[in-house]
Amino acid sequence: MASVLVVEDDQFVRSALIRHLSEASHTVRSVGTALEALREVAHFRFDVVILDLGLPDLDGREALKMLRSITDVPVIIATARDDESEIVRLLNDGADDYLTKPFSVEHLSARMAAVLRRSRTTGGEAPPPRIIRVGGLSIDPLRRSAELDGSELDLTRREFDLLTFLAGRPGVVVARKELLAEVWQQSYGDDQTIDVHLSWLRRKLGETAARPRYLHTLRGVGVKLQPPADASHAGAPAAEPPA
């Protein structure tokens, strides 16, 4: 039997899914928002996620992208939207299957069984999120912990999210607008918010804006994270599975 996360804000649909999956002997956890879903997959191992698109805090497509940044767990989209071009985009963004509401419990069971078979065929259980390594930085998205040269960093939730997002794109300049959208889940906002968090993060990384090592700001363009030129961990940044 599988461990299932149901991400659905409609209480009636959510209760029906929980009841059906529990009766089928699956272990079920459920949430009603995208951010709650991200917290769940960061702390628990699931075999499959059933994701609604019409969530109150974040569009399901953006939620899918964020899920894919931290886990390879199979995701089945369950929604009332039936636009073919959107289905294609979702599958390209990492969804494993797609169900259009209303659907029968038998249909859901068949789709879940197929997704789980494919997952087991390609390597058994879904692997945990990879540890991100950039220079002397080591970031574990699953445990939400980060180390610099072997010493643990004391980061706030937002500092960790910002560091992880940038470290996942080493050497790539990320626009402030993208940071607001992906880290703060805002389509617009005050650049000073980003500047303040970057300043705090630099302090904890032992650097300053004037003498950067990892975090580099390109005025009018964005921010990038890359290994320092003097790092002893020479070579390309790597992402490795935890030991």
Side-chain angles (χ1 to χ4, degrees), residues 150-171:
S151 298
E152 187 167 358
L153 295 170
D154 182 15
L155 303 176
T156 65
R157 178 178 63 86
R158 192 72 76 190
E159 289 167 357
F160 181 86
D161 291 343
L162 177 59
L163 179 64
T164 302
F165 185 80
L166 290 171
R169 299 151 183 80

Side-chain angles (χ1 to χ4, degrees), residues 1 19-26 109:
M1 296 298 103
R19 182 174 64 254
H20 162 66
L21 293 168
S22 298
E23 288 173 352
S25 300
H26 297 300
S109 293

Side-chain angles (χ1 to χ4, degrees), residues 117-184:
R117 278 197 304 272
R118 290 198 298 269
S119 175
R120 287 163 184 154
T121 299
T122 57
E125 295 183 0
R130 297 176 298 172
I131 291 179
I132 302 169
R133 302 187 194 279
V134 181
L137 275 171
S138 177
I139 303 168
D140 188 337
L142 181 63
R143 295 179 176 83
R144 291 188 66 81
S145 63
E147 294 182 353
L148 176 61
D149 299 326
S151 298
E152 187 167 358
L153 295 170
D154 182 15
L155 303 176
T156 65
R157 178 178 63 86
R158 192 72 76 190
E159 289 167 357
F160 181 86
D161 291 343
L162 177 59
L163 179 64
T164 302
F165 185 80
L166 290 171
R169 299 151 183 80
V172 176
V173 179
V174 181
R176 290 169 178 270
K177 184 177 180 180
E178 185 177 357
L179 287 176
L180 283 170
E182 299 294 341
V183 179
W184 275 266

Side-chain angles (χ1 to χ4, degrees), residues 1-229:
M1 296 298 103
S3 174
V4 185
L5 175 64
V6 174
V7 188
E8 170 64 66
D9 68 316
D10 185 305
Q11 191 59 51
F12 177 79
V13 175
R14 188 170 162 184
S15 297
L17 288 172
I18 293 170
R19 182 174 64 254
H20 162 66
L21 293 168
S22 298
E23 288 173 352
S25 300
H26 297 300
T27 301
V28 186
R29 293 179 67 90
S30 67
V31 293
T33 68
L35 294 183
E36 288 175 317
L38 292 168
R39 283 195 290 268
E40 286 288 305
V41 298
H43 290 91
F44 300 98
R45 181 75 61 81
F46 295 99
D47 297 308
V48 63
V49 174
I50 300 172
L51 175 66
D52 178 46
L53 292 186
L55 300 173
D57 60 335
L58 194 64
D59 181 77
R61 188 179 176 200
E62 294 304 313
L64 174 64
K65 291 179 181 178
M66 296 179 74
L67 281 170
R68 275 291 163 259
S69 72
I70 61 172
T71 180
D72 292 326
V73 62
V75 176
I76 298 175
I77 301 295
T79 181
R81 306 179 195 176
D82 59 359
D83 179 72
E84 182 176 354
S85 61
E86 181 169 20
I87 294 174
V88 172
R89 284 196 300 269
L90 287 162
L91 293 172
N92 287 334
D93 285 341
D96 294 86
D97 208 341
Y98 192 103
L99 276 171
T100 302
K101 298 176 182 177
F103 51 82
S104 67
V105 292
E106 291 79 14
H107 194 175
L108 172 61
S109 293
R111 293 295 185 93
M112 276 185 55
V115 165
L116 289 170
R117 278 197 304 272
R118 290 198 298 269
S119 175
R120 287 163 184 154
T121 299
T122 57
E125 295 183 0
R130 297 176 298 172
I131 291 179
I132 302 169
R133 302 187 194 279
V134 181
L137 275 171
S138 177
I139 303 168
D140 188 337
L142 181 63
R143 295 179 176 83
R144 291 188 66 81
S145 63
E147 294 182 353
L148 176 61
D149 299 326
S151 298
E152 187 167 358
L153 295 170
D154 182 15
L155 303 176
T156 65
R157 178 178 63 86
R158 192 72 76 190
E159 289 167 357
F160 181 86
D161 291 343
L162 177 59
L163 179 64
T164 302
F165 185 80
L166 290 171
R169 299 151 183 80
V172 176
V173 179
V174 181
R176 290 169 178 270
K177 184 177 180 180
E178 185 177 357
L179 287 176
L180 283 170
E182 299 294 341
V183 179
W184 275 266
Q185 289 85 53
Q186 297 176 8
S187 57
Y188 61 90
D190 187 352
D191 279 2
Q192 188 175 2
T193 299
I194 297 175
D195 290 336
V196 168
H197 281 83
L198 284 172
S199 176
W200 292 340
L201 195 50
R202 281 194 176 100
R203 190 178 311 154
K204 294 179 180 181
L205 293 176
E207 62 183 65
T208 65
R211 300 186 59 135
R213 295 189 70 236
Y214 285 92
L215 293 170
H216 300 262
T217 300
L218 281 74
R219 190 179 300 276
V221 182
V223 183
K224 69 176 178 179
L225 184 147
Q226 63 184 27

